[in-house]
Amino acid sequence: MKIERVEARAIPDTRGKPTVEVTLHALCIPGMHKEATASEVGGHPVSTHASVPSGKSTGSHEACELRDADGGVETAVANVEGEIARALCARKWNSPDEIDGALIALDGTPNKSRLGANAILAVSIAAQRLFAQEANVPLWKAIAERAGTTPGAPRLYVNVMNGGVHADFRLPFQEYILVCEGRTSAAFAAARAAFDALGATLGNVPMGEEGGYSPTFETLQEPFELLAALVAEHAGTSIAIDAAANELLSEGAYRLLAETYAPDALMRLYEDLASRFPFHSIEDPFSEDAGADFARLTAALRGTCLVVGDDFTVTNPARIAHAAREEAISAVLIKPNQIGSVKEAIEAVEATHAAGWAAICSHRSGETDDTFIADFAYGVGAEGIKAGGLGQKQRLEKYERLLEIEKEAEAV
Ligand code: 2PG
Ligand code: MG
């Protein structure tokens, strides 16, 4: 692979905030990498794009999203077109891992704060696409071959009601999710029917930032009663939440509606909810550094409901391995932009599966029309994908890509 030109620009995400998009222009040399030049063997030109999402409820241990003082990404864009472009165009590349390794070394910091995880990940994804094109295989297949995984359809985690920081706390928890099992086409049909039925029940309510409804309720229970009614009507579904508890923490206690809960009281609330409603998983039930509370809840809910780490583990293989030693959780959210390269996101999936846990690949609340996460989830054989509600184009596109992959997988 010979990369000839690198372009980058700022594009708006779903919140209208700038994020990084990259285009790589290269000469692909199928079946030959090292010796001859591209023109000697008739290499053909290809171009790939990638853009990266951006979170709002972020963990403090995430890789650094490089932002200018005014919130822009001009420095990150300049880093791609300057230093990164020079390194990419200086030599030939045999694999996307080689490119990711070089980008990580070029940055040289533990959290990608020099060049920016947003700059590096956009290049890393576009590079993965180049190698898929060179091999003439679908993106998910190239990822599976790279990761040594068995590809397969993930469960759909559809965020039907948005709260927390994604909806001005109209609902106390950040995400009220319907988990839909089975073949993607069947799971998506159930998600669509349930989402529309919920919309009809709720009437005219605002939408949150992840394309789910955002009603208000008097009590903590009501949204779960609605979700349980949907589960009863739609086979193969169950309930999940992302509490995003970092955002609820204030002076050692967690605020939900007008009440504050000490960690023990919050623990009892989760146990009570999971015993009364058909729960599949609870994400970030406590704040990012409350490992002992995670471990107690995981033990209490074992066999009933998964406890998922997100801000707690931040897609960081070392943090996941540490959580495994503490038996702190039973599933891990995998967000490539929390760690900043495809290579390390694959390593995070490996660490998750090595612990015997489920991997749930996830979008961010600020999204673009890039559907990489769908191919990634399918390629690494993740147990789930979290891609938002069905009320926003950029969320739907991820589900539509999974539907396309279902057809591609039948054809290969
Ligand atoms: C989360 C995500 C995605 P954000 O907390 O899981 O749903 O939100 O991107 O704002 O961190
Ligand atoms: Mg989360």
Side-chain angles (χ1 to χ4, degrees), residues 178-180 189-195 197-198 228-238:
L178 206 62
V179 183
C180 303
R192 167 51 72 199
F195 191 78
L198 181 61
L230 289 178
V231 168
E233 286 292 307
H234 299 90
T237 63
S238 54

Side-chain angles (χ1 to χ4, degrees), residues 15 53-59 62 159 165-166 174-175 177 209-210 242-244 247 283-284 310-311 333 335 337-338 362-367 386-388 395:
R15 276 191 279 264
S54 174
K56 193 188 235 181
S57 65
T58 53
E62 293 191 20
N159 182 4
V165 295
H166 296 162
Q174 181 176 285
E175 298 167 26
I177 295 169
E209 291 183 0
E210 290 196 347
D242 181 1
E247 308 294 329
E283 179 183 331
D284 278 351
D310 171 19
D311 296 341
L333 214 69
K335 292 167 165 169
N337 86 323
Q338 281 181 326
S362 172
H363 71 157
R364 299 303 306 245
S365 53
E367 263 300 334
K386 199 170 85 153
R395 316 290 163 187

Side-chain angles (χ1 to χ4, degrees), residues 6 16 129 168 219 237 264 291 332 368 379:
V6 178
R129 288 199 165 107
D168 298 328
T219 68
T237 63
D264 276 352
V332 180
T368 72

Side-chain angles (χ1 to χ4, degrees), residues 38-309:
S39 55
E40 279 163 6
V41 295
H44 63 280
V46 282
S47 300
T48 57
H49 302 283
S51 56
V52 293
S54 174
K56 193 188 235 181
S57 65
T58 53
S60 61
H61 306 286
E62 293 191 20
C64 169
E65 180 180 83
L66 195 63
R67 293 251 169 219
D68 307 326
D70 65 358
V73 291
E74 293 310 323
T75 311
V77 164
N79 288 345
V80 175
E81 292 202 320
E83 216 177 314
I84 292 177
R86 282 194 296 280
L88 288 178
C89 297
R91 51 164 285 195
K92 278 184 261 163
W93 301 96
N94 296 309
S95 71
D97 260 4
E98 208 173 66
I99 291 183
D100 285 3
L103 292 170
I104 293 163
L106 185 67
D107 173 78
T109 68
N111 65 346
K112 302 186 177 63
S113 55
R114 198 176 74 76
L115 296 171
N118 41 356
I120 293 172
L121 180 65
V123 173
S124 172
I125 293 174
Q128 172 65 80
R129 288 199 165 107
L130 282 181
F131 280 91
Q133 291 213 15
E134 185 178 61
N136 197 23
V137 295
L139 182 57
W140 56 267
K141 198 160 196 295
I143 292 167
E145 280 164 11
R146 175 180 183 178
T149 44
T150 307
R155 287 184 183 85
L156 308 183
Y157 284 61
V158 183
N159 182 4
V160 295
M161 286 189 280
N162 300 179
V165 295
H166 296 162
D168 298 328
F169 282 97
R170 282 190 293 276
L171 287 162
F173 294 123
Q174 181 176 285
E175 298 167 26
Y176 295 76
I177 295 169
L178 206 62
V179 183
C180 303
E181 319 251 345
R183 278 172 57 81
T184 305
S185 43
F188 186 74
R192 167 51 72 199
F195 191 78
D196 292 347
L198 181 61
T201 306
L202 292 173
N204 193 13
V205 294
M207 297 299 270
E209 291 183 0
E210 290 196 347
Y213 307 107
S214 186
T216 51
F217 297 103
E218 296 292 314
T219 68
L220 272 174
Q221 318 293 324
E222 280 168 90
F224 295 107
E225 284 158 10
L226 271 179
L227 287 176
L230 289 178
V231 168
E233 286 292 307
H234 299 90
T237 63
S238 54
I239 298 173
I241 55 168
D242 181 1
N246 265 355
E247 308 294 329
L248 306 172
L249 189 67
S250 158
E251 292 167 8
Y254 297 92
R255 266 199 94 72
L256 290 169
L257 294 175
E259 309 271 322
T260 49
Y261 293 73
D264 276 352
L266 188 58
M267 168 111 167
R268 284 193 295 278
L269 172 70
Y270 292 134
E271 286 185 76
D272 177 57
L273 288 172
S275 72
R276 289 195 296 122
F277 298 104
F279 259 78
H280 178 84
S281 59
I282 301 178
E283 179 183 331
D284 278 351
F286 301 101
S287 69
E288 63 189 7
D289 293 318
D293 294 330
F294 272 86
R296 282 196 303 146
L297 185 64
T298 300
L301 297 182
R302 198 174 299 289
T304 313
C305 168
L306 297 177
V307 175
V308 187

